Amino acid sequence: MSRNSSSGYDRLITVFSPEGRLYQIEYAFKAVKAAGITTVGVRGADSVCIVTQKKVAQGHSQDKLLDPSSVTHMYKVTETIGCVQTGHQADARAQIQRVRQEAAQFRYKYGYDMPPEVLAKRVADMNQVYTQHAGMRPYGVTMMLCGMDDEKGPQLFMCDPAGHYLGYKAVAAGQKDLEAKNMLEKKLKNAPTLSYDETIQMAITVLQSVLSADFKSSDIEVGVVNKESKGRFRQLDEAEIERHLVAISERD
């Protein structure tokens, strides 16, 4: 067996290759990209915005009877924390169910809502456990969390299948994540102070640019958290999304 070959070392998640790699974890990251969805998150001065594609036809390309309102990649975890799941949506629903239970248990035990960073750490801890047991496989999803912290203000975190979690000023996940991250780095190079509308429009603009597409309001999902709404997470409706799309086109 060649030392550089994955043959044999990718059959169990608990076996390291001679190069120190866990191939099943790497395959989980590929599964996230294979879903064909790109997600962008941007943190502003007093708000956070997460934007993702809404592909109604994914896996049901010939099904004309599908109800578009039943397709979503965005979920409310608590009143003040929302997330978008990029990757296998069956895995996403299973994970979000567990995460909601964790948040509810925290609220019941301590009497206040789970802070975004504590929840992100808990999600990462759960993901890491799935890399240790041969009878399990990692979730094929990346979770992007946004929320408002009473002390730190707007928060944006991303948790991956390997069990990493990090806070970000802006981040992207999915098929075109590298291109989106490069564009975000350029736009945030001078550390601009983004208003609520600017935060939303930057996230949408970056997603449009990397996909080379002109979105309709039904093509994307937009979730926001801001101080004016007392830190409550909500999804924008199509009329609000259309208003931002018009503003972007007029500006360009």
Side-chain angles (χ1 to χ4, degrees):
M1 184 188 298
S2 171
R3 287 182 62 85
N4 294 322
S5 171
S6 66
S7 177
Y9 294 106
D10 63 352
R11 298 187 184 182
L12 286 174
I13 196 169
T14 54
V15 178
F16 282 98
S17 75
E19 294 82 30
R21 298 166 67 179
L22 288 170
Y23 286 103
Q24 286 294 328
I25 303 297
E26 294 179 20
Y27 297 161
F29 279 91
K30 289 181 180 179
V32 172
K33 290 181 179 287
I37 299 288
T38 304
T39 302
V40 174
V42 178
R43 191 182 77 194
D46 60 356
S47 59
V48 187
C49 175
I50 48 178
V51 181
T52 190
Q53 295 171 265
K54 185 171 184 176
K55 284 192 175 181
V56 177
Q58 188 183 24
H60 304 276
S61 56
Q62 301 303 315
D63 195 344
K64 305 295 183 184
L65 302 177
L66 191 68
D67 180 6
S69 66
S70 68
V71 179
T72 184
H73 304 287
M74 200 166 285
Y75 304 89
K76 179 187 283 188
V77 181
T78 68
E79 286 298 315
T80 57
I81 300 176
C83 75
V84 59
Q85 298 274 53
T86 309
H88 283 227
Q89 287 310 299
D91 285 6
R93 285 193 297 274
Q95 187 179 48
I96 200 67
Q97 184 79 4
R98 175 69 188 279
V99 170
R100 282 171 175 163
Q101 289 174 358
E102 293 288 334
Q105 287 173 2
F106 185 96
R107 170 81 184 181
Y108 177 77
K109 185 175 181 179
Y110 297 106
Y112 63 95
D113 285 333
M114 201 172 194
E117 185 172 4
V118 176
L119 183 59
K121 182 179 184 299
R122 182 65 184 136
V123 173
D125 288 345
M126 290 188 293
N127 285 353
Q128 202 278 329
V129 169
Y130 281 77
T131 71
Q132 299 179 53
H133 297 278
M136 299 178 176
R137 69 161 175 82
Y139 285 124
V141 289
T142 292
M143 177 184 281
M144 195 179 293
L145 282 164
C146 70
M148 190 69 68
D149 189 281
D150 291 340
E151 296 178 359
K152 299 178 181 178
Q155 300 276 284
L156 177 65
F157 292 93
M158 191 162 73
C159 310
D160 64 31
H164 297 118
Y165 85 97
L166 292 168
Y168 291 90
K169 297 175 183 175
V171 70
Q175 191 175 32
K176 299 273 188 178
D177 62 338
L178 292 177
E179 295 92 328
K181 286 176 184 176
N182 288 336
M183 182 168 288
L184 287 166
E185 284 179 9
K186 291 176 184 176
K187 287 183 175 290
L188 296 172
K189 187 175 182 181
N190 297 322
T193 302
L194 300 174
S195 67
Y196 173 68
D197 284 344
E198 288 170 342
T199 303
I200 295 171
Q201 289 167 22
M202 177 178 286
I204 295 173
T205 300
V206 169
L207 191 59
Q208 278 194 143
S209 298
V210 297
L211 296 174
S212 302
D214 289 324
F215 291 137
K216 294 184 292 185
S217 58
S218 59
D219 292 339
I220 56 175
E221 294 180 278
V222 182
V224 294
V225 176
N226 69 324
K227 286 185 178 178
E228 286 185 11
S229 62
K230 297 181 180 178
R232 294 187 180 276
F233 174 80
R234 69 183 186 93
Q235 284 185 243
L236 301 189
D237 58 34
E238 290 194 6
E240 290 176 292
I241 295 173
E242 184 63 33
R243 179 174 68 83
H244 288 292
L245 290 172
V246 169
I248 290 168
S249 63
E250 288 176 351
R251 185 184 63 202
D252 295 342

